[in-house]
Amino acid sequence: MDASIAAILLQDGLTNGAIYMLLALALVLVFSVTRVLFLPQGEFVVFGALGFALLLKGQLPGTVWLLLTFGAMTAVFDVAAAAPRRRAAVLLRTAALNLALPSAIAAAAWLASRHPVPPSLAALIAVALVVPLGPMIYRIGFMPMAHASILTLMIIGVTVHFILVGMSLFFFGPEGMRAEPLVGAGFVFGGLIISGQSLLVYAVAAAVAAGLYLLFERSVYGKALRATAVNRTGARLAGIRTHVAGKLAFGLAAAIGAVCGVLMVSLTTVYYDSGLAIGMRGFIGAVIGALVSFPGAAAGALAVGAVESFVSFFYSSMKDAALFLLIIPILLYLSMSRPGAVAGEEE
Amino acid sequence: MKLIKALACSLSFAACAAGAQVKVGATIPLTGPVAMLGLGQQKAMQMYADKVGGLGIEYVVLDDASDTTAAVTNVKKLTAEHNVDVIVGSSSTPQCLAMLDAIAQAEVPTICLGSASAIVSPMDDKRKWVFKIPPNDEVWIEGMARHMKANGVHRLGFIGFNDAFGEAWLQGMNKLAAKYGIEMVAAERYGRTDSSVVAQVLKVLMKKPDAVLIAASGTPAALPTMTLRERGFKGKIYLNASIATKEFMDTAGKAADGALLSIGVGLVGEQVPDSNPLKQLNLDFKARYEEKFGKGSFNIFAMQGYDAFRILERALPIAAKAAKPGTREFRLALRDAIESVRDLHGNTGIYNFSPSDHSGLDTRAVVMAEIRDKQLNYVPE
């Protein structure tokens, strides 16, 4: 192994690392607002990726039906909760958000599958198909149990994961898909092949990381979001609408996941069940950031990408084992250096 | 499950009605990840005759949903509730392996459509009830190694799945390498849903191989194929038969051009020379199949699915002379009759079963083909 190979490995690792970073950031985001270890984050990636690939092929992604169904379910939940108190405004709002909006997105997707559209528009529709799923999943799966323990919330997450993977197989079939890159150009630098698409991935990852950091560390609004996780009752007393915060966090996470998928599907083949594999790598990154620190999670995810690339080179058969072993020394270090800081310990 | 059965009956078989003598049970995946295999085979089963040499046949088809537990449950249901004389299925290796115990316990001869050698070897008291339609990995590998030798491949790199499938191919190739003057210079693994294989490809290319063998299945094989070409690999790329899908060629696009596969005769039936003993048989079957199910519907799984019937067609009359269907004696006689099948020309290959070999195929089942513009082209030896 020489320097040029090391450079190629590092570049490949960082490209994957950037994808994992987006996932890690979304995981930290959801966790720090709702205390949910959101395992199905990877499914948003798959839905975004395969939805985009299908739209480019001129087919209607099955996620359209998922969106409409979840929308209807959410509306029923909202109506059931609001009806006894006869709050017409709530009914109107839920009808607009969960029935009208999904229908509009579905109609756009249907049109896009009928007429050839530019890839950028297809990408936009693919993301739009996924984003509302985030708040809907929160409303149906997590909101009724928002006060439960972290463990209970995680188990709900596992359930949601299995439901979504099953749907994913049904909608997209067992074979993987790929799409043409959104940015075709690229250049060769020494032995490095730097594609335009990978540059786009870096840019998006950096922008999302910076945005989330600023939102949560620098803005009052971000601090309010964070307060809901620390102390729900206290946050409500201080005038923070905790359920809106949860929906917002899930919506952002779904958006990050879907964008991640759209970017990824032109770099590699994505399968109906790719979500867990990618999500777990993002999760390791998030754990490195102790599930609370955005910069820590970002750095951790990049490290996961790099380690994966180098281990693949030296011991490809041991790759997954090495990756998941990585988590043990990290947890040890975290729990010894900062007792109480590791997520999972109830407040 | 009952509903699915009833549905399968009404769709597939006129002979589901009573009055038949021999009962053939089938457990195949009609839903789930490997449904593609099962659906082709189910169509082939609709072409099974309902009478063989004066014997009426009744069919019971159950869906195992690509699930190992369901496959085992189906075996128990078929034997205990339906008292079948023989089972066809399931379609993929994990289900077939899971079924072994239940099959041996019920003492019912079974014709599996899964591909791994482990289904029928090492031969033991359980596996003696099981016969297998697709060729062993060794047969595919040997066909490929023969082509490598003829085309001056001395240094071979390997990139395969990090699972039992990849391992079987690696060991198979290692075993045959010396015989065909091939040196295995690198062996790298990757996972089905991995997002990059750059590292593995670099490692393989450092050893300057003449050719690289990719042991994977379907679309996951596209990633190493594309990465190899992207990194400037000019040598030959060999792919195994289960990669020969339309989805793979669509996904890999131009990068797949020139890749070589060892495949069954049926997939390039029109192109093989007339001297090939399987050519006419395959063309006839394809014509019948496409007449029934539409042009372009023909696939390798249907091809293999029908071979199970060719074996039954030969073995059932022999067993019927020895015992009455529905009895243990009949199942024993049928097992012996299948084991004694020799020189049976099927779509897949020429079957020669023996007490020690329940796969029974040799390299006559294999031809080489090259991918060009998303089409398979026969490559003469």
Side-chain angles (χ1 to χ4, degrees), chain A residues 28 41 117 212 266 294 315:
Chain A
V28 172
Q41 178 63 29
V117 288
L212 286 177
S266 18
F294 286 105
Y315 309 102

Side-chain angles (χ1 to χ4, degrees), chain A residues 17-91:
Chain A
I19 299 267
Y20 304 154
M21 180 169 130
L22 286 168
L23 281 152
L25 293 173
L27 286 170
V28 172
L29 164 71
V30 168
F31 185 79
S32 58
V33 177
T34 63
R35 299 179 306 130
V36 177
L37 268 177
F38 195 55
L39 199 68
Q41 178 63 29
E43 268 63 63
F44 290 143
V45 179
V46 171
F47 286 177
L50 299 183
F52 176 55
L54 279 184
L55 280 175
L56 284 187
K57 282 187 191 172
Q59 294 171 30
L60 186 65
T63 35
V64 166
W65 309 117
L66 188 69
L67 180 65
L68 294 174
T69 317
F70 275 27
M73 280 167 72
T74 309
V76 169
F77 269 67
D78 278 349
V79 169
R85 281 175 282 165
R86 300 180 191 283
R87 288 168 61 184
V90 175
L91 295 185

Side-chain angles (χ1 to χ4, degrees), chain A residues 106-290:
Chain A
W110 184 77
L111 282 175
S113 68
R114 283 305 171 89
H115 309 281
V117 288
S120 50
L121 185 60
L124 202 67
I125 294 174
V127 173
L129 275 172
V130 179
V131 176
L133 286 176
M136 289 170 184
I137 288 172
Y138 176 77
R139 177 66 186 90
I140 301 168
F142 296 96
M143 205 172 103
M145 305 274 288
H147 289 281
S149 69
I150 288 182
L151 184 64
T152 312
L153 291 172
M154 194 183 88
I155 293 170
I156 300 174
V158 173
T159 314
V160 173
H161 161 75
F162 281 115
I163 293 171
L164 293 185
V165 169
M167 304 251 178
S168 183
L169 174 63
F170 180 68
F171 294 142
F172 303 111
E175 293 291 347
M177 281 178 241
R178 237 175 210 274
E180 290 296 312
L182 284 167
V183 185
F187 56 95
V188 177
F189 178 76
L192 299 179
I193 306 167
I194 298 169
S195 65
Q197 184 77 16
S198 63
L199 290 178
L200 185 63
V201 172
Y202 299 149
V204 170
V208 169
L212 286 177
Y213 177 76
L214 290 178
L215 175 67
F216 277 85
E217 307 288 333
R218 294 276 175 268
S219 80
V220 179
Y221 198 69
K223 292 207 163 90
L225 280 177
R226 214 161 196 171
T228 53
V230 178
N231 188 335
R232 292 186 73 84
T233 318
R236 288 189 71 166
L237 288 174
I240 299 165
R241 293 165 65 183
T242 52
H243 288 318
V244 175
K247 283 181 194 165
L248 191 73
F250 270 74
L252 270 176
I256 295 173
V259 168
C260 190
V262 168
L263 292 174
M264 194 177 151
V265 72
S266 18
L267 285 174
T268 186
T269 324
V270 178
Y271 306 86
Y272 79 94
D273 60 347
S274 288
L276 186 65
I278 318 164
M280 287 313 280
R281 284 161 175 75
F283 178 68
I284 301 175
V287 166
I288 295 176

Side-chain angles (χ1 to χ4, degrees), chain B residues 98-284:
Chain B
M99 285 159 59
L100 286 177
D101 281 325
I103 290 168
Q105 214 170 17
E107 301 186 306
V108 54
T110 299
I111 303 175
C112 275
L113 301 161
S115 65
S117 332
I119 298 169
V120 290
S121 70
M123 186 47 66
D124 56 22
D125 277 351
K126 282 185 214 160
R127 290 180 169 85
K128 73 173 192 191
W129 292 97
V130 179
F131 300 84
K132 183 165 77 82
I133 296 292
N136 282 343
D137 299 335
E138 289 82 359
V139 173
W140 297 120
I141 297 170
E142 184 146 18
M144 202 180 259
R146 211 168 51 194
H147 183 270
M148 289 176 186
K149 187 180 182 195
N151 288 276
V153 172
H154 298 296
R155 297 170 64 81
L156 180 68
F158 173 95
I159 300 177
F161 275 173
N162 56 356
D163 63 6
F165 180 84
E167 198 57 33
W169 269 74
L170 181 60
Q171 284 178 8
M173 198 71 220
N174 273 332
K175 233 180 276 171
L176 285 170
K179 183 176 161 195
Y180 288 91
I182 297 164
E183 188 195 346
M184 294 284 281
V185 293
E188 295 298 320
R189 319 294 166 78
Y190 76 111
R192 204 174 62 81
T193 55
D194 277 4
S195 45
S196 166
V197 288
V198 168
Q200 289 92 325
V201 162
L202 287 178
K203 186 92 175 276
V204 168
L205 292 186
M206 273 170 67
K207 307 281 176 159
K208 309 231 170 312
D210 302 321
V212 175
L213 164 60
I214 297 172
S217 57
T219 37
L223 187 62
T225 308
M226 296 173 80
T227 310
L228 276 166
R229 292 303 184 212
E230 202 177 279
R231 294 283 153 189
F233 178 61
K234 297 271 185 292
K236 292 186 171 61
I237 294 179
Y238 285 90
L239 307 171
N240 61 270
S242 47
I243 295 173
T245 62
K246 189 183 159 301
E247 289 81 5
F248 165 76
M249 293 186 225
D250 281 347
T251 308
K254 278 247 153 297
D257 276 356
L260 293 151
L261 304 113
S262 54
I263 57 169
V265 177
L267 290 181
V268 286
E270 287 85 358
Q271 301 170 36
V272 298
D274 291 340
S275 60
N276 189 307
L278 302 174
K279 175 174 179 168
Q280 206 46 50
L281 197 74
N282 269 293
L283 288 184
D284 290 347

Side-chain angles (χ1 to χ4, degrees), chain B residues 7 31 41 53 73 79 84 95 114 137 147 164 172 195 242 250 270 276 283 301 306 314 321 328 347:
Chain B
L7 197 70
T31 50
Q41 285 148 0
T73 313
T79 51
V84 299
Q95 282 116 291
D137 299 335
H147 183 270
S195 45
S242 47
D250 281 347
E270 287 85 358
N276 189 307
L283 288 184
F301 308 114
Y306 195 73
R314 170 96 54 106
K321 280 188 202 126
R328 177 171 179 270
N347 295 331

